[in-house]
Amino acid sequence: MGSRYLLNHIGGEWRAPESGQTRPNLNPGDLSDQLGDFAESGGADVELAVEAATAAMPAWKALGPIRRAEHLRAAERLLEDRAEDFAQAITREQGKLLKEARGEVRRALAILDFTAGEGRRLKGETLPAEEPRTFSYTFRAPIGVVGLITPWNFPLAIPMWKIAPALLAGCAAVFKPSPFTPLTAALLTEVFADAGVPAGVLNLVQGDIAAGEALVAHEGVAGISFTGSLPVGLAIHQAGAPRLLRTQLELGGKNAVLVLKDADLDKAVKATVFGAFGQSGQRCSATSRVVVDVAVKEEFLERLVEQVGALRVGAGADETAAVGPVVNEARMHACLEAIKTAQEAGAKVATGGGRAPGNGWFVQPTVLRDVPWDSQIAQEEIFGPVLSVIDCNGFDDAMRISNSVKYGMSGTIFTQDPATIFEALERFEAGMLHVNRPGVGAYAHLPHMGAKLSQFGPPECSPQVWDFYTEWRSACISY
């Protein structure tokens, strides 16, 4: 790994942080593997990055969306060529299984492909005028320099679904990734630089809270797109409110799968295991609750526990592992504490429940049964391989329990009744809905969005994303 990846990338140059401080980056599945000491930036680095972005934006805006899309196409080709390097980096620093990391690279490529195609569709409208000999129309303009703050759970795909539309819209950007996944961010920044994106259009500032707060507070930043926790998202929105900072916030989830008495149980169990324990449950759309009709609960639980108990935990590079580590020690302890608290509230451990062996941050895939619907573990996001099984009495009770939380990211139902399916789709208080399939996963051209406290602002990964990175103009021309 080149030493440049340990640095920031500002104005087209790799440079050390002004603070002179660094942060070690460890492999969560193998604590003997240290990837390096990466830049720990602060306000001075953000200042330099915003200055570079501000200087670069006029020429980038003038290029137009079709030519900007050519740079995205070039980046897509480079990413495809370097796909395995990215997968290996994701697995080493985030911990997810190598097959999951490769899947994330494919997702990022799909996002690039979709977004580049939008270069020929970034349109407005022509409209009739009230006066004669007058032409009136609307068009989109980039909002300005944007700050992109991304999490560690998808260190390539989530940055991509922010960077690609920001650049196509004509914005210049300051990208601040999670301090837990700095290598993937550096590799991604290099892809766009090698694709010919001009210096200063995309700037990378590594670091944690100090860099994030400085980016949100900077008067030269027109918008912040953030993916992460609810408390941080609220803090960003509140900090920017006095100057009407535009925000796009994708926040937490407490997602439910509803299994009714007429469900295909084999299909429901398979989908639940995938949704709850894929990527160690570290997804905003992960299945955190499964709400099961009492008529089929015991049969469902028997099949579920058998499959979950057979899942092998191991490092991401272990091709035989089915579940990888959680991202760090704090996340591991948070999962174990949540299990303990759930037991104190009356839940019972059906399988798992403790730390898994290994030189990393491993948690046993855990199923909790008899979970009270209003207990803490049934209401708050865990972000780990912990699944709560909650009893219900019929469809109406299942929907009540599903909608009882403050979040609304994903909603899923298993039933064979067409009328129930369509009623559920109307009644779910969630943004991404699924029927008889896993409650995770989305397409690059469909909105990635939540409801309630899971989302604020326009969706991502869809044509609706332009409502964040651009603003409307109307023009009337008298001839």
Side-chain angles (χ1 to χ4, degrees):
M1 182 183 71
S3 60
R4 64 186 181 280
Y5 299 134
L6 305 174
L7 308 174
N8 293 325
H9 191 265
I10 297 174
E13 298 180 354
W14 295 98
R15 55 187 299 160
E18 295 295 299
S19 66
Q21 298 178 352
T22 60
R23 173 194 290 259
N25 186 23
L26 298 178
N27 181 339
D30 179 5
L31 301 181
S32 66
D33 177 21
Q34 181 168 325
L35 284 73
D37 293 309
F38 288 78
E40 181 65 27
S41 306
D45 302 285
V46 168
E47 182 66 36
L48 292 171
V50 174
E51 287 177 1
T54 302
M57 188 172 156
W60 181 246
K61 175 183 175 182
L63 201 60
I66 294 176
R67 291 189 61 191
R68 292 194 293 264
E70 293 172 1
H71 290 287
L72 299 192
R73 292 288 188 203
E76 183 181 356
R77 292 189 292 270
L78 290 172
L79 177 58
E80 191 166 20
D81 290 343
R82 303 173 191 180
E84 188 60 19
D85 292 339
F86 272 91
Q88 295 288 340
I90 292 168
T91 291
R92 282 186 70 196
E93 65 178 356
Q94 196 274 345
K96 68 178 65 176
L97 303 180
L98 195 53
K99 65 180 179 180
E100 294 172 332
R102 289 169 178 153
E104 183 175 347
V105 176
R106 291 192 295 272
R107 177 77 183 277
L109 286 167
I111 293 164
L112 262 178
D113 183 62
F114 164 75
T115 308
E118 288 289 279
R120 293 183 180 273
R121 292 188 289 269
L122 202 61
K123 61 184 184 298
E125 293 182 302
T126 58
L127 299 161
E130 294 182 3
E131 297 86 9
R133 299 178 62 82
T134 303
F135 177 65
S136 58
Y137 71 105
T138 64
F139 62 95
R140 291 181 180 269
I143 62 171
V145 174
V146 291
L148 311 176
I149 304 177
T150 62
W152 46 262
N153 60 327
F154 285 94
L156 176 61
I158 292 179
M160 186 65 80
W161 77 47
K162 296 181 189 297
I163 292 171
L167 298 191
L168 187 78
C171 298
V174 179
F175 168 34
K176 195 214 79 67
S178 165
F180 301 127
T181 52
L183 175 57
T184 306
L187 293 172
L188 178 57
T189 303
E190 185 176 56
V191 159
F192 281 102
D194 290 348
V197 172
V201 171
L202 176 62
N203 304 275
L204 170 66
V205 176
Q206 304 276 20
D208 201 358
I209 296 173
E213 289 180 342
L215 188 57
V216 172
H218 200 293
E219 294 285 342
V221 174
I224 293 287
S225 180
F226 167 79
T227 300
S229 71
L230 174 60
V232 176
L234 291 174
I236 288 172
H237 191 64
Q238 290 164 359
R243 61 185 182 91
L244 299 181
L245 176 71
R246 183 177 292 202
T247 57
Q248 180 187 48
L249 310 172
E250 187 208 316
L251 308 170
K254 191 64 182 176
N255 312 294
V257 168
L258 312 187
V259 181
L260 302 188
K261 61 184 179 181
D262 67 337
D264 181 327
L265 293 187
D266 285 334
K267 184 180 287 187
V269 167
K270 183 178 179 181
T272 299
V273 171
F274 178 76
F277 303 107
Q279 203 174 299
S280 301
Q282 298 175 118
R283 293 184 280 208
C284 63
S285 57
T287 301
S288 184
R289 300 175 294 156
V290 56
V291 182
V292 188
D293 194 291
V294 292
V296 294
K297 180 188 74 171
E298 294 302 333
E299 185 179 357
F300 177 85
L301 264 170
E302 182 180 354
R303 301 185 195 187
L304 177 68
V305 168
E306 180 181 5
Q307 290 195 25
V308 175
L311 296 175
R312 185 176 180 278
V313 179
D318 182 350
E319 296 282 3
T320 68
V323 177
V326 293
V327 73
N328 55 32
E329 184 178 14
R331 179 93 329 261
M332 181 189 71
H333 287 306
C335 291
L336 298 177
E337 184 61 29
I339 294 168
K340 179 182 176 182
T341 301
Q343 290 177 280
E344 293 170 351
K348 301 178 182 65
V349 174
T351 187
R355 182 174 182 177
N359 185 32
W361 311 124
F362 298 107
V363 177
Q364 292 176 332
T366 299
V367 175
L368 297 167
R369 61 170 295 164
D370 304 328
V371 176
W373 69 269
D374 56 352
S375 60
Q376 181 176 326
I377 199 166
Q379 296 288 313
E380 297 297 334
E381 190 173 40
I382 304 302
F383 230 65
V386 181
L387 174 67
S388 296
V389 180
I390 303 170
D391 299 352
C392 72
N393 286 286
F395 173 61
D396 287 335
D397 196 34
M399 289 303 310
R400 177 189 64 81
I401 293 170
S402 174
N403 293 335
S404 67
V405 299
K406 61 189 174 185
Y407 298 108
M409 186 62 70
S410 172
T412 306
I413 188 167
F414 281 84
T415 179
Q416 303 302 314
D417 180 55
T420 301
I421 288 171
F422 284 100
E423 185 173 352
L425 294 177
E426 291 180 358
R427 291 174 61 180
F428 268 125
E429 295 174 359
M432 295 181 289
L433 307 178
H434 305 270
V435 178
N436 296 328
R437 68 187 302 275
V440 295
Y443 305 137
H445 56 289
L446 284 180
H448 191 285
M449 64 178 300
K452 299 164 82 170
L453 292 185
S454 289
Q455 178 85 32
F456 182 84
E460 302 188 86
C461 297
S462 65
Q464 288 77 22
V465 76
W466 307 122
D467 290 334
F468 175 72
Y469 292 104
T470 67
E471 54 193 9
W472 285 105
R473 300 282 191 270
S474 67
C476 296
I477 304 169
S478 178
Y479 56 89

